Amino acid sequence: MPLFDLPLAELETYAPALDEPADLDAFWARTLAESRKAGGDLARSVRLERVETGLDLVVVDDVTFPGFAGQPVKAWLVRPAEAARAATAGDGAPLPAVVEFLGYGGGRGLPHEHLAWANAGYAHLVVDTRGQGSQWGSGGGTPDPAGSGPAVPGVLTRGIEDPHDHYYRRVFTDGVRAVDAVRSVPGVDPERVAVHGVSQGGGIAIAVAGLADGLVAALPDVPFLCHYRRAVEITDRDPYRELTRYLAVHRDAEETVFRTLSYLDGAVLGRRATAPALFSVALMDQVCPPSTVYAAYNGWGAAAGAAPGAERAIDVYRYNEHEGGQGYRFARQLAWLRDR
């Protein structure tokens, strides 16, 4: 696949006009307040059940926490065994945590698939994505009990007629509540929580970084869910093509569709982030085009008063498609995160 988007020099300064609703902050403040109220006291509503994995150096808990509207969301919590035992005994230093969100169609899988962060000394919360988990990987366990109006296969057009009904309003809220949940776990340092994800997971991480307070870092790789108008204009690949298919049938719905998505755009929500960020982008990526990633990266923290270029970095994979950096990312992210 050749380069198809803007030249790198133009990407580095790409700052498009974005659709930002006047009531965006009020919309999300109400959404989160209502879900936190519905979820109740986290000390009672976050449930951890120890899982027997046969592994000696880590312990795994099957976590259930209240997400959007208090609805139950599943996650794995993987921790170094010695630190987890110390936390149970009320001893030892609290662990920093990495909250990970997952790619499109996947679920949390199996515990032994998530060992790297715990072996580096972190508590690792692997968050299921509601209504997904059956397209690749080893499955998930969180349903999405909300209904939908007319939609095409996939989740991008579920609830597309109104931002209050949209699927990603629920998912982004689940992400913020995952941060709340891991902060409530004994032995986890609530002041040292980072968010991470690839593709859809990267887009969720960006949104959560814009909506949750006090994160120490965000690590979005080849993120999805950013700058929807641009994506629809330059790629015919799924998942963004779900929007094209919908609009090809609902010919008079363009204004409604993009109004809904303006409440759910990582390029807009990332402007509210205050945490340092380490992005990655692949210049031959037709699934999440480079300009959509740079729209989020170049605006990072702008609405929160961050100085241009402050506390953000991006790794560029010139010859890669949507696979991006893959296994090369962990060592880079681990070193970068330890500095923070």
Side-chain angles (χ1 to χ4, degrees):
M1 172 55 61
L3 299 175
F4 71 99
D5 205 337
L6 300 172
L8 182 57
E10 293 182 29
L11 290 169
E12 290 173 341
T13 59
Y14 183 61
L18 299 170
D19 299 325
E20 185 170 316
D23 65 339
L24 178 71
D25 294 323
F27 172 88
W28 279 108
R30 284 194 306 272
T31 296
L32 297 176
E34 290 167 0
S35 289
R36 284 177 170 134
K37 182 177 180 181
D41 181 9
L42 288 177
R44 291 194 293 269
S45 58
V46 176
R47 302 195 305 274
L48 277 66
E49 299 179 16
R50 187 59 46 86
V51 177
E52 179 51 57
T53 63
L55 302 172
D56 294 331
L57 302 183
V58 300
V59 296
V60 179
D61 290 295
D62 185 349
V63 180
T64 307
F65 67 88
F68 176 82
Q71 295 160 358
V73 178
K74 301 295 288 184
W76 298 124
L77 179 63
V78 188
R79 290 176 286 174
E82 184 176 344
R85 285 192 291 267
T88 300
D91 194 11
L95 293 173
V98 172
V99 179
E100 180 177 359
F101 307 108
L102 303 171
Y104 200 73
R108 64 176 179 163
L110 302 172
H112 63 262
E113 297 174 308
H114 309 286
L115 302 180
W117 285 108
N119 277 287
Y122 292 81
H124 183 197
L125 188 74
V126 184
V127 183
D128 222 10
T129 312
R130 61 170 58 223
Q132 297 189 35
S134 299
Q135 188 171 331
W136 57 268
S138 304
T142 303
D144 181 19
S148 172
V152 300
V155 297
L156 198 50
T157 63
R158 289 187 189 174
I160 197 66
E161 296 172 327
D162 192 302
H164 292 87
D165 300 329
H166 198 275
Y167 173 81
Y168 280 108
R169 179 186 182 223
R170 301 189 290 280
V171 170
F172 291 173
T173 303
D174 292 345
V176 174
R177 295 295 283 154
V179 172
D180 292 346
V182 81
R183 284 173 165 162
S184 76
V185 174
V188 171
D189 186 345
E191 303 299 322
R192 291 191 294 159
V193 178
V195 291
H196 163 56
V198 180
S199 191
Q200 174 185 253
I204 298 170
I206 289 171
V208 171
L211 295 170
D213 294 329
L215 295 173
V216 297
L219 305 164
D221 287 323
V222 291
F224 177 43
L225 306 170
C226 299
H227 199 7
Y228 298 100
R229 282 188 183 272
R230 173 71 176 173
V232 167
E233 290 172 356
I234 67 170
T235 185
D236 63 355
R237 299 281 293 275
D238 285 328
Y240 285 119
R241 191 157 186 255
E242 293 172 19
L243 297 172
T244 310
R245 291 192 190 101
Y246 183 91
L247 289 168
V249 174
H250 301 275
R251 292 168 172 81
D252 59 351
E254 181 179 11
E255 182 178 348
T256 297
V257 164
F258 286 109
R259 176 185 178 275
T260 292
L261 294 174
S262 68
Y263 289 84
L264 306 157
D265 190 337
V268 173
L269 293 172
R271 290 169 53 83
R272 286 149 173 80
T274 57
L278 177 63
F279 279 66
S280 71
V281 63
L283 297 191
M284 295 183 177
D285 186 352
Q286 287 196 337
V287 176
C288 296
S291 55
T292 68
V293 176
Y294 272 96
Y297 174 73
N298 288 334
W300 186 260
E311 290 296 327
R312 60 182 173 89
I314 188 166
D315 293 332
V316 179
Y317 295 94
R318 182 179 293 272
Y319 300 103
N320 289 94
E321 298 185 37
H322 192 53
E323 75 279 3
Q326 291 185 318
Y328 286 88
R329 299 303 300 147
F330 180 72
R332 165 69 168 139
Q333 290 169 333
L334 184 61
W336 185 87
L337 193 55
R338 281 179 169 162
D339 287 340
R340 286 148 185 85

